[in-house]
Amino acid sequence: MRKHLFGTLGALTAALLLPMFSACAPYDYSDRVSEIRSDLFLAETDDFSLTLACISREYPYADDGIPCPMSDTIEITLVPAGDPPSHVEVYAAECGGEASFSAAFGDFRFSQGVSTFPEGSVPVRVVWGEESCEIAATSVRTEETLTPNDALAAFVKAEAETLSAMRRDGAFCGEIAVRLLRRDKNYYYAAVTDGTERIALLLDGETGEVLARRRDTL
């Protein structure tokens, strides 16, 4: 009888504590991410510098705080070293075609959906005006570079109060972007928006240390 009573009390106690433990469990923000730039591949010639970005992004893209299903895209940017030619084509991995010139930025841009992203190094063929060349674009990632998930975790830890304030009735109402950057070294840009404001951090690409913070009203 006593054994049965203790067993019943143990089961009842576990049932009562379960909601408490569930409430204390960390909130999983991974399904609230609407954009991830996971890798960058760089190459350079005397005529141009090239950046190939691996991006998973929601479609249609809107900075409204509501994440949508994402698709994988390769975006290639070519910056002329001198006067731009009238015609540019670029072919890499699963994609390729004519690049469009952006008068606002003075560069050529091409993007296309893919099923997989390249790793390490990727051969690229570029038609630059009347000439064609083949180059190898190399990933900026190293063994020390944080993964996008690591960068997201660093962002969540640093902006716990901000993220908590964006909850409504226990549900998080916002979307998050995580982008690998390359300047003198690797960095991550991580930002959250609820459609009314955006909080963005610049993180060290290896340690996750917060290097800068910016808040914008949308």
Side-chain angles (χ1 to χ4, degrees):
M1 178 67 179
R2 180 180 299 177
K3 183 176 180 180
H4 177 72
L5 177 60
F6 285 161
T8 303
L9 289 175
L12 180 60
T13 301
L16 291 173
L17 289 178
L18 181 59
M20 182 184 302
F21 287 132
S22 299
C24 296
Y27 192 97
D28 183 8
Y29 291 94
S30 60
D31 64 346
R32 305 300 298 183
V33 176
S34 60
E35 180 182 358
I36 300 174
R37 184 194 294 159
S38 56
D39 207 348
L40 293 169
F41 294 75
L42 305 181
E44 188 172 1
T45 70
D46 292 338
D47 295 321
F48 58 83
S49 59
L50 178 147
T51 302
L52 184 152
C54 299
I55 301 173
S56 301
R57 180 185 290 149
E58 69 174 359
Y59 183 83
Y61 185 77
D63 211 4
D64 55 6
I66 304 173
C68 296
M70 297 193 296
S71 58
D72 294 339
T73 301
I74 282 181
E75 293 187 354
I76 303 175
T77 304
L78 301 102
V79 180
D83 295 333
S86 59
H87 179 77
V88 171
E89 297 177 23
V90 60
Y91 300 90
E94 304 175 16
C95 62
E98 183 175 357
S100 300
F101 182 72
S102 171
F105 296 95
D107 56 23
F108 291 90
R109 301 184 176 195
F110 175 86
S111 64
Q112 185 174 321
V114 295
S115 59
T116 59
F117 288 137
E119 296 181 3
S121 180
V122 56
V124 183
R125 183 169 71 88
V126 178
V127 178
W128 191 256
E130 300 299 322
E131 300 181 356
S132 177
C133 67
E134 294 190 4
I135 55 177
T138 304
S139 170
V140 303
R141 298 191 63 88
T142 68
E143 293 182 356
E144 289 73 32
T145 304
L146 296 177
T147 66
N149 282 339
D150 292 335
L152 173 62
F155 177 76
V156 169
K157 181 179 180 180
E159 291 296 324
E161 186 174 340
T162 298
L163 298 174
S164 179
M166 290 184 177
R167 294 190 186 186
R168 304 291 183 272
D169 298 325
F172 176 68
C173 299
E175 61 179 332
I176 299 172
V178 179
R179 302 170 188 159
L180 179 64
L181 304 176
R182 178 70 184 185
R183 298 295 183 265
D184 58 318
K185 55 180 288 186
N186 289 342
Y187 301 91
Y188 271 100
Y189 166 93
V192 62
T193 178
D194 61 357
T196 63
E197 68 173 353
R198 180 190 300 109
I199 306 297
L201 300 183
L202 180 66
L203 305 173
D204 185 285
E206 296 182 358
T207 67
E209 176 187 358
V210 178
L211 304 176
R213 185 180 190 269
R214 177 170 176 170
R215 177 182 179 275
D216 294 308
T217 302
L218 303 179

